[in-house]
Amino acid sequence: MNTASTSHTDATAYVEEFFARTRGGADFIITTATDLDLAPDGGRIAFTAVVATAGEPDPVRHIAVIDVATSRLAHWGPGHAPRWDPSGSRLAWLTDKHITVRELDSDSRLRTFPVEGVPEYLLWRPDGSALLVGVAEYGAARSDVDGSGLMRVDAAERQPGVPVVEAGRARPRSGGRGVWLLDPASGDGTRVSPPEATVWQAAWAGGSSILCVTSDEPSESAWYGAELAVLDPATRTLRPLPSGDGQAALPAANPSGSRLSAVIGAMSDRGLYVGDLVLIDPDDGTYTAVALGDVDVTSQHWDGDTAIVFAGMRGLDTVIGRYHVDTCTTEVLGVLEATCGAMTPEITVGSGIIACTTSGYGSPPALTVLETGTAPRELVSFAHDGTDYLAEVGGRIERVAWESPDGVTIEGLLVSPHGPGPHPLVINIHGGPVWAWRDEWSMHYPHTPLLASRGYAVLHPNMRGSLGRGQKFIRDGLHDMGGVDAADVVAGIDALAATGRVDPARVGVTGNSYGGFMAAWLVATTNRFAAAIARSPVTDWVSQHYTSNIPGFDRMCLTGHPLDPQSSYRARSPFYLAAHVRTPMLLIAGAHDLATPPEQASMFHRALVEHGADSTLVIYQDEGHGVRGSAAVVDQCARMIGFLDEHLATGGAR
């Protein structure tokens, strides 16, 4: 293909063939493993298997178990989020409306218990006598990481004509989250958190209390002000604990409940948890930050009563380590140039063994274990014919670094197509912004290997606001959105252009969520880009504050009142700079997105058109925050390829 323009039909055919070949031809393929849980004796790992099946466009979730010694794999049926009981003789997991318990010592008997709402996580009491279940009420919001929108009852259960009502300052009567205890013998369930409180996360703190992340009201925005508290399930009372400077997440405790821990830091999305590891006194609530050598912690698990095994990021590396509480010493167990986990580095721990799902840009997901004193051991790879094709056409990855105008070193990952440059360049800006690009399979989304197969180089910058560089680096980006982070990105273009590997006249930019905001902001404040694709963007922080379900985010980041024309709400909004945009724009949103409502894209589109700019708006009627359904992903990718081919004129490889 050597033309400067690609029709939508040609782009669709190219993308459909690409996805058909990356899926491979076999039926019932496990593509990755999530929600890993090691049995107490370290002998088996239960996990959620993400399965692709022939004839079905979207993957499904199944429970699978692998034997650590033999790598023998067994499928146990539909479900997700499996958890072993303390004896290793029972496994519980979730479905959309039920808890399932499989008893291994009773001819693998299955018992299923209904739940009043949507179960989101579960944990066994340390003595195995009860299950702690986190339950979201129908009508509760999904996080933007989970696609946004609302959890609803089935169509047959809905009452026609019943509206959604907001009543001033009155607390909403539905849509909250609570903690339930389920008796696995009888199936009886009881809510043990107070009805006026929302519990976002919870963990057993011994057998008689529960460490929670809570807020007073259930809105998605309330998560930004959530705090730690200890729940007494017998009295249904919460005792608040101080959480210091930052949000609290990932509560945990040692088996005896004598020591508590959590991750505290600046976070931008529920579902992307990162910060400093802290130890908490269960009596007076005082806490101590743990020094872990500049690692931003994203996963932590107690290994016995006196050690915590953690995972996180330091720069572009994934670090796994063990902190010994009594001696205040840290043991580094592994430093991975590639990574582990789904959205952020994640691990599970049992009987001295660590398990995780590892991957790299050129290495498909694999279930891996780390044992003290030995090299990581791969139990099973989820490679197949389709992953071989993707690795072949997806180009090569390398770490890059450059200096921002204020002298701060910025890191990123560059994926380049095979063959000599200079290549047209697409800047792919991550969401959050408290997240980070890692060297992982497909760079988490299909866009990067698809673009590389088409002849584009793709830069993934970890600008200010990204994790992996400590809390100051994160807060510098959060509190200067569109300022230092925008300068970081533009400096990356200059650095790459200076090497001769990319063509500075053919540079595009894309991003989702916060990355969508950045794509819109950059073309409103500079003419450096030949094309821009903003997906699920924020373009006007004023209307975003009053229409989004997460106004707590912009309150955390921006200064002044939203209705004050002199505030940063207006000064940092691309919408008010529409007259300055000269870059062709493709705006994409989902109709069900509550986090960055589709009006953000449509408002900017109409403002651009009124000022004579080249703009196209695409709204997916069945999607929320980010495009996820297979058919919509194919369509979106085809539109992206056609748009970039038209404006960046690449001669993509076939």
Side-chain angles (χ1 to χ4, degrees):
M1 185 198 72
N2 296 306
T3 61
S5 179
T6 301
S7 72
H8 184 253
T9 300
D10 290 342
T12 298
Y14 182 88
V15 170
E16 286 177 341
E17 180 184 359
F18 176 87
F19 279 106
R21 297 190 66 178
T22 58
R23 280 194 292 267
D27 190 17
F28 206 84
I29 296 173
I30 298 178
T31 61
T32 192
T34 64
D35 303 322
L36 275 59
D37 194 46
L38 259 163
D41 64 0
R44 290 167 295 182
I45 304 168
F47 62 93
T48 302
V50 181
V51 177
T53 56
E56 296 293 334
D58 296 307
V60 295
R61 296 182 294 182
H62 278 245
I63 300 299
V65 175
I66 190 168
D67 186 280
V68 172
T70 66
S71 296
R72 182 179 178 182
L73 189 64
H75 300 278
W76 284 11
H80 62 282
R83 292 295 179 265
W84 295 102
D85 83 335
S87 70
S89 64
R90 293 175 293 181
L91 185 70
W93 64 83
L94 307 178
T95 61
D96 289 342
K97 293 184 178 182
H98 299 88
I99 308 295
T100 298
V101 178
R102 180 166 179 168
E103 300 181 24
L104 279 66
D105 56 358
S106 301
D107 298 322
S108 297
R109 182 165 61 112
L110 285 175
R111 303 187 68 194
T112 301
F113 308 109
V115 177
E116 296 181 22
V118 180
E120 296 187 301
Y121 57 89
L122 58 82
L123 295 166
W124 288 90
R125 180 178 260 159
D127 64 4
S129 64
L131 278 164
L132 180 160
V133 185
V135 179
E137 298 173 1
Y138 293 120
R142 301 182 187 275
S143 72
D144 56 346
V145 171
D146 193 35
S148 193
L150 297 177
M151 297 176 178
R152 299 184 184 275
V153 296
D154 292 339
E157 300 174 7
R158 295 175 189 163
Q159 298 181 22
V162 177
V164 175
V165 178
E166 292 188 17
R169 294 182 178 274
R171 182 186 184 278
R173 295 181 179 272
S174 62
R177 287 172 163 85
V179 171
W180 289 66
L181 292 189
L182 178 71
D183 183 338
S186 67
D188 294 335
T190 304
R191 178 168 177 151
V192 294
S193 58
E196 68 275 8
T198 291
V199 178
W200 302 97
Q201 294 178 314
W204 285 107
S208 59
S209 61
I210 299 169
L211 181 61
C212 304
V213 178
T214 71
S215 63
D216 290 336
E217 56 104 0
S219 74
E220 188 67 14
S221 189
W223 178 80
Y224 293 95
E227 298 179 339
L228 291 169
V230 175
L231 170 65
D232 182 342
T235 62
R236 302 186 186 185
T237 56
L238 287 164
R239 175 168 58 90
L241 298 175
S243 56
D245 184 18
Q247 295 166 263
L250 303 180
N254 63 1
S256 67
S258 62
R259 288 168 166 150
L260 312 179
S261 60
V263 168
I264 294 180
M267 306 176 203
S268 55
D269 300 79
R270 186 170 66 86
L272 297 178
Y273 308 120
V274 57
D276 296 326
L277 177 64
V278 300
L279 295 173
I280 305 162
D281 187 298
D283 296 322
D284 60 18
T286 58
Y287 73 89
T288 304
V290 177
L292 296 177
D294 300 324
V295 176
D296 283 336
V297 176
T298 58
S299 181
Q300 58 119 355
H301 301 268
W302 283 88
D303 188 15
D305 261 6
T306 61
I308 299 174
V309 178
F310 64 88
M313 287 188 68
R314 182 174 60 206
L316 293 172
D317 290 333
T318 291
V319 179
I320 300 172
R322 179 182 285 111
Y323 178 74
H324 298 276
V325 176
D326 290 342
T327 60
C328 300
T329 57
T330 301
E331 174 189 4
V332 175
L333 303 174
V335 178
L336 311 178
E337 288 191 6
T339 191
C340 65
M343 297 297 294
T344 55
E346 295 174 279
I347 55 173
T348 180
V349 180
S351 193
I353 298 175
I354 300 166
C356 53
T357 301
T358 55
S359 76
Y361 184 70
S363 304
L367 241 172
T368 302
V369 295
L370 294 83
E371 300 174 76
T372 302
T374 64
R377 177 166 61 96
E378 186 177 288
L379 295 182
V380 60
S381 170
F382 302 120
H384 53 83
D385 290 345
T387 60
D388 292 343
Y389 170 76
L390 193 64
E392 176 187 343
V393 302
R396 61 190 184 277
I397 193 168
E398 63 179 303
R399 295 184 175 199
V400 292
W402 60 92
E403 191 174 283
S404 202
D406 61 357
V408 174
T409 298
I410 305 301
E411 298 174 315
L413 292 161
L414 176 67
V415 173
S416 302
H418 299 297
H423 304 290
L425 174 67
V426 176
I427 309 294
N428 190 8
I429 303 177
H430 66 70
V434 186
W435 194 37
W437 294 117
R438 304 173 289 156
D439 183 350
E440 65 178 311
W441 179 244
S442 192
M443 291 306 289
H444 197 77
Y445 299 105
H447 313 111
T448 292
L450 174 63
L451 289 169
S453 77
R454 196 70 171 176
Y456 294 97
V458 187
L459 175 63
H460 305 80
N462 282 344
M463 65 284 176
R464 247 76 65 99
S466 304
L467 64 94
R469 302 283 295 277
Q471 284 294 302
K472 183 180 185 304
F473 193 85
I474 287 173
R475 294 176 191 276
D476 283 350
L478 276 175
H479 298 153
D480 191 15
M481 299 188 303
V484 291
D485 51 3
D488 294 344
V489 171
V490 173
I493 301 172
D494 295 333
L496 284 181
T499 68
R501 287 178 290 177
V502 302
D503 183 351
R506 294 187 294 163
V507 180
V509 61
T510 188
N512 190 73
S513 192
Y514 188 82
F517 156 73
M518 284 286 286
W521 176 256
L522 285 166
V523 300
T525 55
T526 177
N527 291 323
R528 293 293 302 273
F529 298 93
I533 305 171
R535 309 179 335 260
S536 302
V538 175
T539 63
D540 175 21
W541 290 107
V542 178
S543 59
Q544 167 75 6
H545 179 81
Y546 291 108
T547 59
S548 167
N549 71 340
I550 52 169
F553 171 74
D554 57 73
R555 287 195 199 99
M556 179 175 66
C557 302
L558 296 168
T559 59
H561 192 278
L563 297 182
D564 180 359
Q566 305 304 314
S567 73
S568 61
Y569 279 83
R570 180 155 181 165
R572 293 298 169 94
S573 293
F575 176 74
Y576 301 103
L577 301 175
H580 301 284
V581 175
R582 298 293 180 267
T583 303
M585 192 95 202
L586 174 60
L587 291 147
I588 299 173
H592 299 298
D593 192 347
L594 301 178
T596 58
E599 290 78 15
Q600 291 293 314
S602 62
M603 286 171 57
F604 195 47
H605 165 71
R606 292 175 184 177
L608 292 173
V609 170
E610 281 193 4
H611 286 95
D614 181 350
S615 177
T616 301
L617 173 68
V618 179
I619 305 291
Y620 290 96
Q621 296 302 311
D622 297 321
E623 298 293 323
H625 191 74
V627 172
R628 298 161 192 261
S630 295
V633 168
V634 169
D635 184 84
Q636 175 183 250
C637 286
R639 293 180 187 279
M640 292 174 66
I641 288 293
F643 183 77
L644 292 170
D645 282 357
E646 177 182 357
H647 296 291
L648 271 64
T650 179
R654 285 283 188 179

